[in-house]
Amino acid sequence: MTAIELNGITRHYGGDVYGVRNVSLRIEEGEFMILLGPSGCGKSTTLRMIAGLEPVTDGSIRIAGRDVTALAPRMRNVAVVFQSYALYPHMTVRDNMRFGMKMRGTPASEQDRRIAEASDILGLNPYLDRRPSDLSGGQRQRVALGRAMVREPDVFLMDEPLSNLDAKLRAEMRQELVKLHRRLGRTTVFVTHDHVEAMTMGDRICIMKDGEIVQTGAPLEVYARPRNVFVARFLAMPPMNLVPGRLTRSAEGTRIEAGPIAGMLPAREAALFAHVPGEGVLIGLRAEDIRDTPRPNAVPVTGQVVTREALGTENVVGIDAGGTVLQARVDRDLLPELGTRLTLHADLSRMHLFDAASGETLLRANGHA
């Protein structure tokens, strides 16, 4: 089984500087794991330690049950795909794919077989005799993938491989990588700072911050139940709306007051949050939970339009409601002029609650965020 086990791994550069601190994570055989986070969070350092390109200060790494912590990269049977492609500019596509196998002494007939198979899967046959300078960015990335594939590794490690591509190519390559993973079934670790890549590609997401793991889970699970404010805001665009507020309880029910958002909680949410303190909370609502049409459990919020983005399938509008700016996803036919007043509707049945001091999620009575 080609599972990867990270057991308390740390990368210490000296003094108070850590790249990664006490990270433990199990990546299952055949899983597509996303390491997600902002620049400097430790995700690339973690990947480089798995590859053997960065030493482990403390802890251990096991691949397929074998302790590889002290092994050289070539002994780990992993293949790395970098952001920069790292192709040899003077070699053809065929020779770029062949080079590593040649250095390892792979028989020429086996080299040809692997190149033919990878080229067929990746659609590289028309380009095998071209040099990297004659290829587009997407084609170069396919060559980098092909060079990794011909190694027939146990594990693929990908460090932001799509970040140099334009938006259209990125979307196409996301789909191609998912198809490739399903076809090959190899354990894959994919580093990115892009929440769209994380949500659309991964079996699981591991969100990192300041060299530590913040939350791990299936994409939709993490999106629906963020562990804290950092996860809630990072895993969405626009980020989740967060407003300081309070809950007051009476015989009539539970009332929420959070800046311009005020109203009675639906009975279900009042029961689920009955144990939550009334003071010192942040109310969180995603942009898609503030809409331009009335709906059950929603309260009206009126403000002045201060931002607007036309996305084609929908629009994102920001309103300033008494000093609180709220971002909402609205119908594509609604694109109000800046400065106009607009009433939106905040769905209280979709709200999240966070502790204002710590930023941690306040769990519902059923144990969910």
Side-chain angles (χ1 to χ4, degrees):
M1 292 182 61
T2 315
I4 302 172
E5 298 174 71
L6 310 181
N7 302 303
I9 62 170
T10 293
R11 179 65 174 109
H12 185 207
Y13 295 108
D16 295 328
V17 182
Y18 288 84
V20 170
R21 191 193 299 257
N22 194 31
V23 163
S24 294
L25 178 68
R26 180 178 171 85
I27 302 166
E28 300 296 341
E29 180 180 15
E31 186 173 29
F32 199 123
M33 172 64 78
I34 302 286
L35 301 184
L36 175 69
S39 297
C41 72
K43 56 189 186 295
S44 289
T45 302
T46 300
L47 180 137
R48 289 175 63 83
M49 286 195 288
I50 296 172
L53 302 175
E54 191 91 17
V56 177
T57 308
D58 196 12
S60 66
I61 298 173
R62 301 182 73 86
I63 298 177
R66 183 175 60 138
D67 190 335
V68 301
T69 312
L71 292 184
R74 68 180 182 278
M75 304 297 293
R76 301 187 183 203
N77 199 26
V78 302
V80 186
V81 180
F82 295 102
Q83 173 183 350
S84 62
Y85 315 138
L87 303 177
Y88 296 109
H90 63 289
M91 292 184 182
T92 64
V93 168
R94 189 191 313 274
D95 288 339
N96 264 283
M97 296 172 68
R98 186 186 301 279
F99 184 76
M101 293 187 290
K102 189 175 181 180
M103 291 298 99
R104 289 188 293 275
T106 305
S109 59
E110 179 65 11
Q111 295 176 29
D112 292 339
R113 182 194 69 78
R114 294 185 188 183
I115 290 172
E117 183 177 334
S119 298
D120 185 58
I121 292 173
L122 295 170
L124 289 174
N125 288 320
Y127 314 110
L128 288 174
D129 295 318
R130 296 187 189 181
R131 287 182 168 79
S133 59
D134 299 323
L135 304 177
S136 69
Q139 290 163 350
R140 293 181 197 178
Q141 191 56 270
R142 282 185 172 88
V143 177
L145 287 169
R147 187 177 55 188
M149 284 174 58
V150 296
R151 292 195 58 183
E152 297 189 344
D154 291 330
V155 173
F156 285 110
L157 304 174
M158 303 187 185
D159 193 0
E160 305 219 37
L162 308 183
S163 57
N164 285 337
L165 305 180
D166 62 39
K168 181 175 181 296
L169 271 176
R170 288 182 77 159
E172 292 174 356
M173 285 301 296
R174 284 201 303 267
Q175 297 176 17
E176 291 301 319
L177 282 172
V178 171
K179 290 178 184 176
L180 181 63
H181 176 257
R182 288 175 180 167
R183 180 165 181 170
L184 299 178
R186 303 290 171 80
T187 307
T188 300
V189 183
F190 186 101
V191 165
T192 183
H193 64 273
D194 187 319
H195 75 280
V196 175
E197 290 180 5
M199 291 295 296
T200 57
M201 296 176 67
D203 295 320
R204 281 195 299 157
I205 301 173
C206 174
I207 300 181
M208 299 185 68
K209 179 187 178 188
D210 298 331
E212 299 179 346
I213 293 176
V214 180
Q215 185 172 355
T216 302
L220 291 178
E221 174 190 337
V222 176
Y223 188 82
R225 297 168 182 155
R227 182 167 295 172
N228 55 30
V229 165
F230 172 78
V231 174
R233 290 185 60 81
F234 192 82
L235 199 61
M237 187 54 65
M240 179 183 285
N241 298 288
L242 294 169
V243 186
R246 61 196 297 263
L247 303 176
T248 56
R249 298 177 175 92
S250 66
E252 287 74 31
T254 301
R255 180 177 175 80
I256 183 174
E257 295 178 357
I261 301 173
M264 300 298 292
L265 283 186
R268 175 177 173 273
E269 275 59 42
L272 288 173
F273 288 115
H275 67 296
V276 171
E279 302 290 339
V281 298
L282 289 173
I283 283 77
L285 280 168
R286 296 200 182 277
E288 59 265 31
D289 298 323
I290 304 178
R291 307 294 298 193
D292 52 304
T293 54
R295 60 183 57 196
N297 304 318
V299 296
V301 182
T302 301
Q304 185 179 53
V305 176
V306 290
T307 62
R308 62 178 200 162
E309 295 180 281
L311 303 180
T313 56
E314 62 183 1
N315 299 323
V316 176
V317 174
I319 64 169
D320 185 336
T324 298
V325 176
L326 299 173
Q327 299 283 334
R329 294 188 182 276
V330 300
D331 189 87
R332 64 181 179 179
D333 295 325
L334 177 62
L335 191 63
E337 295 293 330
L338 296 177
T340 59
R341 290 188 67 75
L342 177 68
T343 296
L344 299 172
H345 303 270
D347 187 349
L348 299 183
S349 70
R350 309 288 295 183
M351 75 174 192
H352 299 257
L353 284 181
F354 303 92
D355 180 84
S358 67
E360 296 297 309
T361 294
L362 293 170
L363 295 180
R364 299 168 185 251
N366 59 7
H368 295 314

